[in-house]
Amino acid sequence: MRQVLVGEGGDGQRLDNFLLRLLKGVPKTHVYRLIRSGEVRVNKGRAGADTRLAAGDTVRVPPVRVAAPSATAAPPREFAAVHEDEHLLAIDKPAGVAVHGGSGVSFGVIEQLRRARPEARFLELVHRLDKETSGLLLLAKKRSALKHLQDQFRARGTEKLYAALVFGDWPAQRKVIDLPLLKGTDAQGERHVRVVGAGHEAAQRSISIVQVVRRVGGCTLLDVRIATGRTHQIRVHLAHAGCPIVGDPKYGDFARNKAFARDRGFERMFLHARRLAFDHPASGDRVVLEAPLPADCAALLDALAQDR
């Protein structure tokens, strides 16, 4: 058993992120299991994965076996930058790339960027996108910027807008989805989220605001704003409403996904974080960023529009 003193670099960091960096080579699922079991302690007390650490805290870490360094270490990689300054970096993340390693993924955006920027003294994810989702991803280059931006996300001071193509004819009058979500696991032990009744004590209120942009080829292109940032929120809300996102491998229409892959060569999920607005952590100015639809998504819309 070892006691780890939290330094200035860990001030304000979530416990799970602190441990994932400390215990490199330990599977992410095992790290979360250690937290849930109470084997990890902060200042001698139990703590949750989302506990915020402060400089000077003491974290008790049980002995764990760290895997040998993988031959598939993260290769250095830069991603298309939408905005960058001394405080933050915003990139246009491609679909199919995880934001970080863990749960069967050797490495993700953050590991590749750190390898590409060995001189960077600090680089952390401000928020997350699903591996299958493309679009705007924000990273902090200073601890102060990370805390400021994460506070905005928690206080709902940011604006997040997603483009989603769904199967079916979305009713134009349905503009607000206010349904609680419950996180769990499926039969394979993978994370799975579902809609539950409002009285469920473990559920989280989740609000998505939907606007029809275009109807094309038996599908509907939507703009979705999220008033709450729950895990898989948009995917679960839209699927529960009977209009799953095209290409969604977890909550989607698997037969139609397979047909789209076979007949149209479209093998990804059509969910794209296209707009992000927030207050700059240093200047306080409102920053509005846009990421256009990826070429494969735009091409699919054009192909569907030509169907008769």
Side-chain angles (χ1 to χ4, degrees):
M1 197 72 67
R2 59 174 166 152
Q3 306 289 331
V4 180
L5 184 67
V6 178
E8 290 187 7
D11 187 40
Q13 193 169 31
R14 282 173 52 121
L15 176 61
D16 54 354
N17 293 333
F18 179 83
L19 290 172
L20 288 167
R21 293 202 68 179
L22 180 69
L23 303 175
K24 290 180 180 179
V26 176
K28 185 178 178 183
T29 51
H30 186 59
V31 171
Y32 280 99
R33 193 178 302 121
L34 292 173
I35 297 172
R36 288 195 301 269
S37 69
E39 294 180 73
V40 174
R41 299 288 178 116
V42 177
N43 300 328
K44 299 183 179 181
R46 292 183 70 123
D50 59 352
T51 296
R52 295 283 169 179
L53 301 175
D57 283 348
T58 300
V59 180
R60 188 187 77 175
V61 183
V64 291
R65 180 178 296 175
V66 179
S70 171
T72 57
R77 179 180 177 183
E78 289 283 357
F79 296 84
V82 178
H83 173 93
E84 183 169 11
D85 58 38
E86 62 180 309
H87 301 276
L88 58 92
L89 167 66
I91 66 167
D92 188 353
K93 184 188 84 69
V97 181
V99 296
H100 56 69
S103 298
V105 178
S106 299
F107 50 82
V109 168
I110 188 65
E111 291 86 5
Q112 293 179 85
L113 275 172
R114 286 174 181 155
R115 284 288 306 279
R117 300 178 176 213
E119 76 289 349
R121 297 182 61 185
F122 185 89
L123 192 61
E124 290 284 354
L125 294 163
V126 174
H127 63 118
R128 289 165 172 74
L129 291 177
D130 292 342
K131 177 181 179 181
E132 299 88 354
T133 304
S134 58
L136 291 164
L137 180 67
L138 196 58
L139 301 99
K141 297 169 68 175
K142 293 185 176 182
R143 170 65 62 186
S144 58
L146 178 67
K147 293 179 69 174
H148 189 285
L149 290 165
Q150 288 184 332
D151 285 346
Q152 281 191 63
F153 274 78
R154 282 193 293 272
R156 303 178 189 177
T158 60
E159 179 190 349
K160 292 175 281 185
L161 180 63
Y162 293 76
L165 183 69
V166 299
F167 289 119
D169 193 15
W170 184 271
Q173 69 275 15
R174 183 160 198 188
K175 298 180 179 180
V176 178
I177 304 175
D178 186 353
L179 293 171
L181 298 177
L182 179 67
K183 289 193 288 187
T185 56
D186 59 20
Q188 288 71 45
E190 295 293 326
R191 183 166 52 184
H192 193 274
V193 180
R194 60 190 175 91
V195 171
V196 295
H200 199 295
E201 61 180 16
Q204 295 179 304
R205 187 181 183 189
S206 307
I207 303 171
S208 302
I209 301 159
V210 184
Q211 180 179 0
V212 173
V213 175
R214 182 182 180 190
R215 302 184 192 278
V216 57
C219 299
T220 310
L221 180 63
L222 304 173
D223 267 347
V224 185
R225 299 176 191 273
I226 52 174
T228 54
R230 310 303 186 198
T231 300
H232 299 171
Q233 176 177 321
I234 296 174
R235 301 166 66 178
V236 177
H237 271 173
L238 298 183
H240 183 78
C243 293
I245 296 174
V246 171
D248 189 338
K250 185 180 287 284
Y251 306 101
D253 184 326
F254 307 121
R256 295 187 73 175
N257 287 347
K258 187 175 180 179
F260 263 55
R262 181 188 65 242
D263 301 335
R264 302 184 182 277
F266 191 81
E267 303 184 52
R268 57 158 291 186
M269 181 171 69
F270 199 126
L271 183 60
H272 179 69
R274 74 172 189 84
R275 189 174 193 269
L276 178 63
F278 56 91
D279 294 338
H280 193 278
S283 69
D285 293 339
R286 194 66 171 173
V287 178
V288 180
L289 304 177
E290 302 269 357
L293 275 179
D296 52 357
C297 292
L300 176 63
L301 290 177
D302 290 342
L304 290 173
Q306 294 174 16
D307 287 353
R308 292 290 183 266

